[in-house]
């Protein structure tokens, strides 16, 4: 979160100009949630509307920030002070990247999935009750014998797919935030006041 700053957005914009990025050439953005936010925002600003493809390397990016229509950065100690509505033309969520996640980021992603399950999908909640511990233990089927277990691989894909579907259905029905009825985002109202000063993961 500390890197989600307007100066980093400006740095991306200057780099794009230096390399001669065309406004109609899609950018390939590779990273987690913060990268999705700031690079997506830079794409929205660059030549007023540059498309981008989001390749997600974290769970939160894969099911939330990656496909999000909203891109943003922090400023003057305010969360998401600057922003735009600029969804990626394509979001790619590849679980193989999740093998690199340390336990804190893994739990962070699992919490995001459970949040979507609680708000939107009882069947997803039941899947997490049954398989959540193994998902954490194997980093969603990217480690150990789980890699060669096709049934468990299907379960992991189903969990990720349901979480992403819940998010996309919620957000893309209100693409321009014409209303603030976003139950899945309830933590955004009060959590930044605790997260940012304490250094907690979102």
């Amino acid at each position: 979160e500390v890197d989600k700053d307007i100066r980093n957005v400006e740095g991306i914009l200057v780099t794009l100009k230096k390399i001669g990025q065309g406004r109609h050439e899609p950018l390939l953005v590779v990273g987690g949630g913060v990268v999705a936010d700031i690079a997506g925002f830079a794409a929205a600003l660059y030549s007023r509307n540059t498309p981008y493809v989001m390749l997600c390397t974290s769970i939160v990016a894969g099911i939330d920030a990656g496909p999000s229509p909203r891109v943003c950065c922090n400023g003057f100690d305010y969360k998401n002070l600057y922003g735009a509505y600029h969804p990626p033309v394509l979001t790619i969520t590849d679980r193989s990247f999740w093998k690199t996640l340390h336990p804190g980021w893994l739990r962070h992603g699992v919490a995001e999935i459970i949040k979507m399950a609680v708000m939107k999908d009882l069947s997803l909640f039941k899947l997490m009750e049954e398989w959540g511990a193994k998902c954490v233990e194997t980093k969603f089927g990217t480690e150990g014998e789980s890699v060669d277990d096709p049934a468990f691989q299907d379960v992991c894909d189903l969990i990720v797919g349901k979480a992403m579907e819940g998010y996309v259905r919620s957000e893309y029905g209100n693409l321009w935030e014409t209303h603030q009825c976003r139950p899945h985002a309830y933590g955004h109202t009060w959590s930044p006041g605790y997260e940012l000063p304490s250094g907690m993961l979102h």
Side-chain angles (χ1 to χ4, degrees):
E1 195 74 24
V2 70
D3 296 318
K4 194 172 155 180
D5 187 85
I6 190 67
R7 287 166 294 188
N8 288 326
V9 174
E10 291 170 346
I12 294 169
L13 291 169
V14 170
T15 299
L16 293 176
K17 193 64 177 176
K18 283 181 177 177
I19 65 173
Q21 170 72 29
R23 70 174 298 181
H24 300 298
E25 297 176 291
L27 300 173
L28 176 60
V29 176
V30 181
V34 169
V35 171
D37 280 343
I38 65 172
F41 186 39
L45 295 173
Y46 188 75
S47 296
R48 293 182 300 281
N49 184 10
T50 300
Y52 68 104
V53 172
M54 184 66 219
L55 175 56
C56 306
T57 60
S58 73
I59 300 172
V60 171
I63 64 170
D64 185 314
S68 177
R70 288 182 311 282
V71 290
C72 52
C73 71
N74 303 333
F76 299 101
D77 295 324
Y78 293 103
K79 186 172 175 67
N80 301 338
L81 180 65
Y82 309 105
Y85 299 99
H86 190 58
V89 295
L90 176 67
T91 300
I92 302 168
T93 298
D94 183 344
R95 286 187 290 108
S96 65
F97 285 103
W98 300 356
K99 186 175 184 178
T100 65
L101 298 177
H102 67 69
W105 288 114
L106 193 68
R107 289 191 300 270
H108 179 206
V110 168
E112 197 72 22
I113 292 172
I114 292 170
K115 179 185 77 173
M116 288 307 302
V118 167
M119 298 308 300
K120 290 286 180 183
D121 191 341
L122 179 59
S123 67
L124 176 57
F125 190 86
K126 289 178 177 177
L127 280 168
M128 288 304 290
E129 276 190 310
E130 183 174 356
W131 296 101
K134 187 171 182 179
C135 286
V136 172
E137 178 187 326
T138 65
K139 294 188 173 181
F140 280 83
T142 63
E143 288 188 338
E145 296 178 2
S146 69
V147 174
D148 300 315
D149 181 347
F152 184 61
Q153 292 294 317
D154 288 345
V155 167
C156 291
D157 285 341
L158 182 61
I159 288 171
V160 173
K162 280 179 167 289
M164 183 186 280
E165 180 185 16
Y167 178 84
V168 169
R169 284 185 183 276
S170 298
E171 293 296 340
Y172 281 70
N174 183 25
L175 189 59
W176 309 109
E177 284 188 297
T178 53
H179 60 80
Q180 288 298 310
C181 183
R182 300 171 58 229
H184 65 287
Y186 58 88
H188 288 221
T189 57
W190 56 268
S191 62
Y194 294 93
E195 292 167 353
L196 294 177
S198 69
M200 291 172 61
L201 299 179
H202 170 57

